Amino acid sequence: MNQEPPVVTKSFIRFEQQHIMPIPETERTGTSWSIFAIWVGLNMMPLAVVTGAVASGAYGLPIGWSIAAILIGNVIGAFGSALHASQGPHLGIPQMLQARAQFGYLGGSLFAVIALIMFLGFFASILIVAKDSLLVVFPEMNGSLVILVFAAIGIVLCVFGYDLLKKTMTWLSILIGVTVAVSMVMLWTKPEATAQHADAVFTFEGFFAVLAIGVVWQLAYAPYVSDYTRYLPKATGPKSAFWGTYLGLVVSSVFVMTLGVLLGAVNPENPLAALSDTLGVVGASVLIIFAVSSALINGVELYSAVMNGLTALQSSFKSVTVTTSTRVTMTLGCGVIATLVALLGQGDFMTTFEAFLTLLLYVLIPWSAINLADFFIVQKGEYVIADMFMRDGGRYGRWNRIGLISYLIGLVSQVPFMITPMYTGPLAEPLQNIDIAWLVGFVVTGAVYLVWMRAARKPVIEGEAALATSGV
């Protein structure tokens, strides 16, 4: 009697099982399109609109100069993020877990905590702006309740993990892309949005400040780009990861921030309200789509916060084993904390957010310089992944003083040039308040790290050569 073969069912959504562990080649289901779609969709949110509005609104730049500053900043910043993204397929692990190779097993956890705080900040910021978008259309709604509902949506998506997030972002990128395109076309026909305002004037301070905002907007993705590109095949993934990430980030961010520039010129105080006021029913519909999509997009921010939280947790406690239960618990905990921050931070949001972006740039730049220099120049991509999970750090140690001290030197090198609401460096005014601290920090950090690593490795290389020559 012939027995019928068993029926194999394939679930539409796969519940994530790997967490922070390396992704096996058999489970690398990512594609160039999925990576492109993730980053396109992630930028298609009202937070990007509000950020673009800073150029024409807060700094009063003319529309043309605003768009130029945004374009240059995003092109520069996205290059760095895309280089980080290319590491994902090669190593197969989350981005900030790689920091163990440059800073040590415990040292890397410090940067995981920094990234965790950053992503929780973005999760809260997106909730606030999504709420503001919806309240423009429905002012009678309870803002706190909207935040709670939107937060719950993002948390549920994050609980399922990468597969559901990938599918969600793929469809969202199409829906929101069409929505933003329609808005842009209509706005360019409105004189109140495109006409040159009398008080709009070019300043070097404003131009370079907006350029720096573009750089930090893109580099803010650097600590988690590999969280998604690690699902690409190792053999073909690095190139796909670079271009999928780079094009997705630049095209979408410049597109949406340009929309913000036009709206900021109409209403510097409330660019989201300008969308509804200028485009009527279409603008109101766009705001609703923006609000709902932001709740979905936020799952990506929370996912990366969780990856960093798990990395820090595993580093700090010997008894902790990262399981599905651990990841879900971390997701719920991080989601609750970020939601509380959003509920408490609904007041003067833009001032707080601009300060947050500025400080974020100063903190991220030295880490980015060290990570890129180590991966592409020092190690040339050759790492021992198993050592990154050993409690003594294996060959990378528990604390890597070269990486940590180089980071501190890079951080300090920025101080004289810093421009923040709380502190302005002594060299900022002679430079007409043009923010070049991030550029100084990147160059100094990279140079110090490379010189120090080369000096530290030279005796080892010479010793190995001497042993080979002696035949031992």
Side-chain angles (χ1 to χ4, degrees):
M1 182 176 178
N2 293 329
Q3 187 177 10
E4 292 185 4
V7 178
V8 178
T9 59
K10 185 176 181 181
S11 174
F12 175 70
I13 299 297
R14 292 189 300 173
F15 199 86
E16 182 167 326
Q17 302 293 328
Q18 298 299 331
H19 320 308
I20 63 172
M21 301 305 292
I23 305 300
E25 192 70 27
T26 55
E27 296 186 22
R28 297 194 176 194
T29 58
T31 63
S32 300
W33 164 245
S34 68
I35 295 300
F36 177 80
I38 284 173
W39 302 119
V40 166
L42 193 58
N43 277 311
M44 297 286 187
M45 57 181 173
L47 187 60
V49 175
V50 171
T51 303
V54 169
S56 55
Y59 289 103
L61 290 173
I63 291 174
W65 284 111
S66 296
I67 296 174
I70 285 171
L71 175 63
I72 295 171
N74 279 279
V75 164
I76 294 173
F79 186 77
S81 287
L83 285 175
H84 287 291
S86 67
Q87 301 169 16
H90 188 71
L91 301 178
I93 54 178
Q95 188 74 59
M96 293 310 289
L97 196 142
Q98 299 175 23
R100 292 175 177 176
Q102 293 96 43
F103 303 99
Y105 186 83
L106 294 177
S109 67
L110 296 177
F111 294 89
V113 170
I114 291 173
L116 168 64
I117 295 171
M118 180 188 80
F119 292 126
L120 293 182
F122 272 113
F123 186 89
S125 300
I126 292 171
L127 285 178
I128 293 172
V129 179
K131 177 264 301 181
D132 290 343
S133 299
L134 201 59
L135 291 188
V136 169
V137 185
F138 305 108
E140 70 282 358
M141 294 188 73
N142 185 306
S144 296
L145 180 60
V146 172
I147 286 177
L148 289 173
V149 172
F150 283 173
I153 294 172
I155 291 171
V156 169
L157 282 174
C158 185
V159 164
F160 278 89
Y162 168 80
D163 196 50
L164 181 56
L165 288 169
K166 179 185 71 173
K167 289 181 170 64
T168 302
M169 297 304 292
T170 299
W171 288 106
L172 270 180
S173 64
I174 298 172
L175 170 64
I176 312 174
V178 172
T179 301
V180 174
V182 170
S183 304
M184 286 281 288
V185 170
M186 294 183 67
L187 273 175
W188 279 110
T189 66
K190 303 290 184 179
E192 59 267 39
T194 57
Q196 187 67 56
H197 293 265
D199 55 348
V201 60
F202 171 84
T203 63
F204 284 104
E205 177 184 352
F207 181 84
F208 282 97
V210 174
L211 187 152
I213 287 174
V215 172
V216 69
W217 180 268
Q218 297 296 349
L219 280 183
Y221 292 121
Y224 67 127
V225 283
S226 283
D227 296 3
Y228 301 95
T229 59
R230 65 187 174 134
Y231 284 89
L232 291 170
K234 183 175 182 177
T236 59
K239 186 176 180 179
S240 298
F242 179 88
W243 288 112
T245 302
Y246 186 80
L247 294 176
L249 287 175
V250 172
V251 170
S252 57
S253 57
V254 172
F255 195 44
V256 181
M257 287 184 186
T258 298
L259 175 64
V261 168
L262 299 177
L263 295 174
V266 175
N267 187 345
E269 299 298 324
N270 193 342
L272 295 175
L275 188 59
S276 179
D277 295 340
T278 308
L279 300 184
V281 176
V282 173
S285 301
V286 172
L287 287 171
I288 294 172
I289 293 173
F290 263 150
V292 176
S293 62
S294 292
L296 300 172
I297 287 169
N298 234 358
V300 175
E301 301 289 349
L302 187 57
Y303 177 80
S304 292
V306 170
M307 291 298 104
N308 285 286
L310 293 174
T311 299
L313 187 68
Q314 188 202 47
S315 301
S316 304
F317 300 97
K318 294 180 180 180
S319 59
V320 171
T321 301
V322 178
T323 63
T324 297
S325 176
T326 313
R327 183 178 67 82
V328 171
T329 302
M330 179 68 72
T331 300
L332 296 175
C334 289
V336 169
I337 292 172
T339 303
L340 288 174
V341 172
L343 291 171
L344 296 172
Q346 299 180 60
D348 191 8
F349 170 73
M350 275 311 298
T351 301
T352 305
F353 182 65
E354 285 181 52
F356 173 69
L357 281 179
T358 303
L359 291 174
L360 191 61
L361 177 61
Y362 299 146
V363 171
L364 283 177
I365 279 291
W367 162 79
S368 179
I370 290 172
N371 179 268
L372 294 177
D374 189 69
F375 185 91
F376 290 102
I377 300 176
V378 178
Q379 304 294 345
K380 295 181 172 58
E382 297 302 321
Y383 295 91
V384 180
I385 304 300
D387 283 21
M388 297 185 193
F389 291 90
M390 296 173 63
R391 295 210 64 82
D392 64 356
R395 67 190 62 201
Y396 306 115
R398 293 167 68 83
W399 301 94
N400 186 328
R401 65 187 182 92
I402 296 179
L404 291 167
I405 296 176
S406 297
Y407 177 85
L408 288 175
I409 292 173
L411 207 58
V412 171
S413 72
Q414 299 178 87
V415 173
F417 305 92
M418 284 183 177
I419 302 173
T420 73
M422 297 174 289
Y423 168 80
T424 299
L427 297 181
E429 188 175 349
L431 292 170
Q432 297 183 309
N433 287 320
I434 297 174
D435 191 349
I436 65 167
W438 58 275
L439 184 58
V440 172
F442 189 89
V443 173
V444 169
T445 308
V448 169
Y449 183 78
L450 286 175
V451 170
W452 197 344
M453 282 296 293
R454 184 165 295 177
R457 288 163 62 92
K458 187 176 180 181
V460 177
I461 294 173
E462 290 176 348
E464 291 175 350
L467 286 174
T469 303
S470 63
V472 178

mmCIF file of all heavy atoms in Angstrom, residues 345-373:
data_model
loop_
_atom_site.group_PDB
_atom_site.id
_atom_site.type_symbol
_atom_site.label_atom_id
_atom_site.label_comp_id
_atom_site.label_asym_id
_atom_site.label_seq_id
_atom_site.Cartn_x
_atom_site.Cartn_y
_atom_site.Cartn_z
ATOM 1 N N GLY A 345 7.270 63.447 26.584
ATOM 2 C CA GLY A 345 8.002 64.409 25.762
ATOM 3 C C GLY A 345 7.188 65.056 24.672
ATOM 4 O O GLY A 345 7.718 65.397 23.610
ATOM 5 N N GLN A 346 5.893 65.239 24.894
ATOM 6 C CA GLN A 346 5.032 65.784 23.844
ATOM 7 C C GLN A 346 5.078 67.302 23.749
ATOM 8 O O GLN A 346 4.422 67.890 22.904
ATOM 9 C CB GLN A 346 3.581 65.353 24.093
ATOM 10 C CG GLN A 346 3.358 63.861 24.084
ATOM 11 C CD GLN A 346 1.922 63.479 24.335
ATOM 12 O OE1 GLN A 346 1.024 63.856 23.589
ATOM 13 N NE2 GLN A 346 1.689 62.720 25.407
ATOM 14 N N GLY A 347 5.851 67.970 24.603
ATOM 15 C CA GLY A 347 5.854 69.424 24.636
ATOM 16 C C GLY A 347 6.642 70.053 23.507
ATOM 17 O O GLY A 347 6.282 69.973 22.335
ATOM 18 N N ASP A 348 7.770 70.682 23.848
ATOM 19 C CA ASP A 348 8.596 71.385 22.863
ATOM 20 C C ASP A 348 9.448 70.370 22.122
ATOM 21 O O ASP A 348 10.660 70.273 22.324
ATOM 22 C CB ASP A 348 9.468 72.421 23.583
ATOM 23 C CG ASP A 348 10.155 73.367 22.607
ATOM 24 O OD1 ASP A 348 9.826 73.311 21.406
ATOM 25 O OD2 ASP A 348 11.021 74.133 23.052
ATOM 26 N N PHE A 349 8.824 69.661 21.198
ATOM 27 C CA PHE A 349 9.482 68.509 20.580
ATOM 28 C C PHE A 349 10.633 68.899 19.670
ATOM 29 O O PHE A 349 11.714 68.319 19.728
ATOM 30 C CB PHE A 349 8.461 67.678 19.796
ATOM 31 C CG PHE A 349 9.098 66.618 18.942
ATOM 32 C CD1 PHE A 349 9.651 65.492 19.509
ATOM 33 C CD2 PHE A 349 9.166 66.766 17.560
ATOM 34 C CE1 PHE A 349 10.255 64.516 18.733
ATOM 35 C CE2 PHE A 349 9.761 65.801 16.782
ATOM 36 C CZ PHE A 349 10.301 64.680 17.364
ATOM 37 N N MET A 350 10.423 69.864 18.775
ATOM 38 C CA MET A 350 11.428 70.159 17.751
ATOM 39 C C MET A 350 12.756 70.612 18.362
ATOM 40 O O MET A 350 13.829 70.213 17.919
ATOM 41 C CB MET A 350 10.906 71.222 16.782
ATOM 42 C CG MET A 350 10.055 70.647 15.656
ATOM 43 S SD MET A 350 10.831 69.226 14.814
ATOM 44 C CE MET A 350 12.297 69.972 14.152
ATOM 45 N N THR A 351 12.692 71.455 19.401
ATOM 46 C CA THR A 351 13.927 71.910 20.045
ATOM 47 C C THR A 351 14.692 70.733 20.637
ATOM 48 O O THR A 351 15.903 70.599 20.479
ATOM 49 C CB THR A 351 13.605 72.920 21.152
ATOM 50 O OG1 THR A 351 12.900 74.033 20.579
ATOM 51 C CG2 THR A 351 14.885 73.414 21.813
ATOM 52 N N THR A 352 13.960 69.867 21.300
ATOM 53 C CA THR A 352 14.574 68.685 21.905
ATOM 54 C C THR A 352 15.143 67.757 20.848
ATOM 55 O O THR A 352 16.240 67.212 20.998
ATOM 56 C CB THR A 352 13.539 67.925 22.762
ATOM 57 O OG1 THR A 352 12.983 68.815 23.720
ATOM 58 C CG2 THR A 352 14.193 66.753 23.479
ATOM 59 N N PHE A 353 14.401 67.574 19.757
ATOM 60 C CA PHE A 353 14.828 66.649 18.714
ATOM 61 C C PHE A 353 16.081 67.157 18.002
ATOM 62 O O PHE A 353 16.984 66.376 17.691
ATOM 63 C CB PHE A 353 13.701 66.439 17.709
ATOM 64 C CG PHE A 353 14.034 65.455 16.619
ATOM 65 C CD1 PHE A 353 14.246 64.113 16.927
ATOM 66 C CD2 PHE A 353 14.132 65.855 15.298
ATOM 67 C CE1 PHE A 353 14.555 63.201 15.941
ATOM 68 C CE2 PHE A 353 14.438 64.943 14.299
ATOM 69 C CZ PHE A 353 14.648 63.614 14.618
ATOM 70 N N GLU A 354 16.163 68.457 17.722
ATOM 71 C CA GLU A 354 17.347 69.013 17.076
ATOM 72 C C GLU A 354 18.583 68.817 17.958
ATOM 73 O O GLU A 354 19.665 68.470 17.467
ATOM 74 C CB GLU A 354 17.140 70.506 16.799
ATOM 75 C CG GLU A 354 16.203 70.787 15.621
ATOM 76 C CD GLU A 354 16.061 72.276 15.377
ATOM 77 O OE1 GLU A 354 17.098 72.959 15.248
ATOM 78 O OE2 GLU A 354 14.916 72.756 15.342
ATOM 79 N N ALA A 355 18.427 69.038 19.264
ATOM 80 C CA ALA A 355 19.544 68.819 20.191
ATOM 81 C C ALA A 355 19.936 67.348 20.223
ATOM 82 O O ALA A 355 21.125 67.000 20.270
ATOM 83 C CB ALA A 355 19.149 69.300 21.588
ATOM 84 N N PHE A 356 18.949 66.475 20.175
ATOM 85 C CA PHE A 356 19.189 65.032 20.169
ATOM 86 C C PHE A 356 19.987 64.626 18.934
ATOM 87 O O PHE A 356 20.951 63.851 19.029
ATOM 88 C CB PHE A 356 17.841 64.308 20.208
ATOM 89 C CG PHE A 356 17.925 62.816 20.041
ATOM 90 C CD1 PHE A 356 18.490 62.012 21.024
ATOM 91 C CD2 PHE A 356 17.420 62.197 18.902
ATOM 92 C CE1 PHE A 356 18.564 60.633 20.878
ATOM 93 C CE2 PHE A 356 17.485 60.819 18.743
ATOM 94 C CZ PHE A 356 18.063 60.039 19.737
ATOM 95 N N LEU A 357 19.620 65.142 17.761
ATOM 96 C CA LEU A 357 20.325 64.817 16.524
ATOM 97 C C LEU A 357 21.777 65.289 16.576
ATOM 98 O O LEU A 357 22.690 64.574 16.146
ATOM 99 C CB LEU A 357 19.621 65.462 15.325
ATOM 100 C CG LEU A 357 18.367 64.773 14.781
ATOM 101 C CD1 LEU A 357 17.810 65.575 13.626
ATOM 102 C CD2 LEU A 357 18.655 63.351 14.342
ATOM 103 N N THR A 358 21.984 66.503 17.100
ATOM 104 C CA THR A 358 23.338 67.047 17.163
ATOM 105 C C THR A 358 24.243 66.211 18.062
ATOM 106 O O THR A 358 25.355 65.832 17.679
ATOM 107 C CB THR A 358 23.299 68.496 17.685
ATOM 108 O OG1 THR A 358 22.450 69.279 16.844
ATOM 109 C CG2 THR A 358 24.695 69.107 17.682
ATOM 110 N N LEU A 359 23.772 65.906 19.249
ATOM 111 C CA LEU A 359 24.565 65.096 20.179
ATOM 112 C C LEU A 359 24.803 63.695 19.624
ATOM 113 O O LEU A 359 25.868 63.113 19.814
ATOM 114 C CB LEU A 359 23.850 65.019 21.534
ATOM 115 C CG LEU A 359 23.790 66.328 22.322
ATOM 116 C CD1 LEU A 359 22.928 66.161 23.567
ATOM 117 C CD2 LEU A 359 25.185 66.813 22.709
ATOM 118 N N LEU A 360 23.811 63.178 18.925
ATOM 119 C CA LEU A 360 23.911 61.847 18.332
ATOM 120 C C LEU A 360 25.054 61.785 17.328
ATOM 121 O O LEU A 360 25.820 60.822 17.280
ATOM 122 C CB LEU A 360 22.589 61.496 17.656
ATOM 123 C CG LEU A 360 22.382 60.062 17.187
ATOM 124 C CD1 LEU A 360 22.457 59.110 18.360
ATOM 125 C CD2 LEU A 360 21.026 59.936 16.505
ATOM 126 N N LEU A 361 25.184 62.829 16.534
ATOM 127 C CA LEU A 361 26.243 62.877 15.528
ATOM 128 C C LEU A 361 27.615 62.815 16.192
ATOM 129 O O LEU A 361 28.497 62.055 15.772
ATOM 130 C CB LEU A 361 26.118 64.160 14.708
ATOM 131 C CG LEU A 361 27.198 64.392 13.642
ATOM 132 C CD1 LEU A 361 27.174 63.286 12.611
ATOM 133 C CD2 LEU A 361 27.024 65.746 12.982
ATOM 134 N N TYR A 362 27.799 63.602 17.246
ATOM 135 C CA TYR A 362 29.094 63.642 17.924
ATOM 136 C C TYR A 362 29.453 62.288 18.536
ATOM 137 O O TYR A 362 30.621 61.900 18.580
ATOM 138 C CB TYR A 362 29.081 64.716 19.010
ATOM 139 C CG TYR A 362 28.840 66.112 18.500
ATOM 140 C CD1 TYR A 362 28.133 67.043 19.251
ATOM 141 C CD2 TYR A 362 29.319 66.510 17.254
ATOM 142 C CE1 TYR A 362 27.913 68.332 18.786
ATOM 143 C CE2 TYR A 362 29.101 67.789 16.774
ATOM 144 C CZ TYR A 362 28.389 68.701 17.551
ATOM 145 O OH TYR A 362 28.172 69.969 17.078
ATOM 146 N N VAL A 363 28.456 61.567 19.022
ATOM 147 C CA VAL A 363 28.716 60.282 19.670
ATOM 148 C C VAL A 363 28.970 59.178 18.646
ATOM 149 O O VAL A 363 29.813 58.305 18.857
ATOM 150 C CB VAL A 363 27.520 59.904 20.576
ATOM 151 C CG1 VAL A 363 27.649 58.474 21.086
ATOM 152 C CG2 VAL A 363 27.421 60.861 21.753
ATOM 153 N N LEU A 364 28.266 59.218 17.521
ATOM 154 C CA LEU A 364 28.364 58.152 16.527
ATOM 155 C C LEU A 364 29.619 58.226 15.664
ATOM 156 O O LEU A 364 30.168 57.206 15.260
ATOM 157 C CB LEU A 364 27.144 58.185 15.603
ATOM 158 C CG LEU A 364 25.829 57.631 16.140
ATOM 159 C CD1 LEU A 364 24.733 57.812 15.101
ATOM 160 C CD2 LEU A 364 25.969 56.165 16.511
ATOM 161 N N ILE A 365 30.056 59.441 15.374
ATOM 162 C CA ILE A 365 31.158 59.627 14.429
ATOM 163 C C ILE A 365 32.418 58.844 14.812
ATOM 164 O O ILE A 365 32.979 58.108 13.983
ATOM 165 C CB ILE A 365 31.466 61.128 14.249
ATOM 166 C CG1 ILE A 365 30.477 61.747 13.263
ATOM 167 C CG2 ILE A 365 32.878 61.354 13.757
ATOM 168 C CD1 ILE A 365 30.624 61.289 11.822
ATOM 169 N N PRO A 366 32.932 58.934 16.050
ATOM 170 C CA PRO A 366 34.156 58.183 16.380
ATOM 171 C C PRO A 366 33.960 56.672 16.275
ATOM 172 O O PRO A 366 34.874 55.960 15.834
ATOM 173 C CB PRO A 366 34.458 58.615 17.825
ATOM 174 C CG PRO A 366 33.758 59.916 17.999
ATOM 175 C CD PRO A 366 32.517 59.802 17.172
ATOM 176 N N TRP A 367 32.795 56.169 16.695
ATOM 177 C CA TRP A 367 32.534 54.727 16.561
ATOM 178 C C TRP A 367 32.567 54.316 15.094
ATOM 179 O O TRP A 367 33.165 53.292 14.738
ATOM 180 C CB TRP A 367 31.168 54.366 17.153
ATOM 181 C CG TRP A 367 30.692 53.036 16.652
ATOM 182 C CD1 TRP A 367 31.081 51.802 17.091
ATOM 183 C CD2 TRP A 367 29.812 52.797 15.546
ATOM 184 N NE1 TRP A 367 30.485 50.813 16.344
ATOM 185 C CE2 TRP A 367 29.700 51.391 15.391
ATOM 186 C CE3 TRP A 367 29.091 53.622 14.688
ATOM 187 C CZ2 TRP A 367 28.911 50.816 14.407
ATOM 188 C CZ3 TRP A 367 28.299 53.057 13.702
ATOM 189 C CH2 TRP A 367 28.214 51.663 13.570
ATOM 190 N N SER A 368 31.913 55.090 14.232
ATOM 191 C CA SER A 368 31.855 54.764 12.809
ATOM 192 C C SER A 368 33.251 54.733 12.199
ATOM 193 O O SER A 368 33.583 53.825 11.423
ATOM 194 C CB SER A 368 30.980 55.786 12.071
ATOM 195 O OG SER A 368 30.924 55.513 10.692
ATOM 196 N N ALA A 369 34.074 55.717 12.544
ATOM 197 C CA ALA A 369 35.442 55.779 11.998
ATOM 198 C C ALA A 369 36.240 54.547 12.388
ATOM 199 O O ALA A 369 36.947 53.952 11.554
ATOM 200 C CB ALA A 369 36.137 57.052 12.496
ATOM 201 N N ILE A 370 36.135 54.125 13.652
ATOM 202 C CA ILE A 370 36.886 52.959 14.121
ATOM 203 C C ILE A 370 36.378 51.681 13.469
ATOM 204 O O ILE A 370 37.168 50.830 13.026
ATOM 205 C CB ILE A 370 36.798 52.861 15.661
ATOM 206 C CG1 ILE A 370 37.600 53.993 16.292
ATOM 207 C CG2 ILE A 370 37.308 51.506 16.156
ATOM 208 C CD1 ILE A 370 37.424 54.119 17.794
ATOM 209 N N ASN A 371 35.064 51.520 13.406
ATOM 210 C CA ASN A 371 34.493 50.308 12.821
ATOM 211 C C ASN A 371 34.887 50.153 11.358
ATOM 212 O O ASN A 371 35.293 49.070 10.917
ATOM 213 C CB ASN A 371 32.971 50.339 12.960
ATOM 214 C CG ASN A 371 32.303 49.111 12.343
ATOM 215 O OD1 ASN A 371 31.926 49.130 11.178
ATOM 216 N ND2 ASN A 371 32.167 48.056 13.118
ATOM 217 N N LEU A 372 34.782 51.229 10.586
ATOM 218 C CA LEU A 372 35.113 51.160 9.157
ATOM 219 C C LEU A 372 36.609 50.938 8.948
ATOM 220 O O LEU A 372 37.019 50.147 8.090
ATOM 221 C CB LEU A 372 34.659 52.433 8.446
ATOM 222 C CG LEU A 372 33.142 52.661 8.376
ATOM 223 C CD1 LEU A 372 32.835 53.996 7.717
ATOM 224 C CD2 LEU A 372 32.452 51.529 7.620
ATOM 225 N N ALA A 373 37.432 51.651 9.719
ATOM 226 C CA ALA A 373 38.888 51.494 9.583
ATOM 227 C C ALA A 373 39.310 50.070 9.928
ATOM 228 O O ALA A 373 40.149 49.474 9.241
ATOM 229 C CB ALA A 373 39.604 52.500 10.483
#
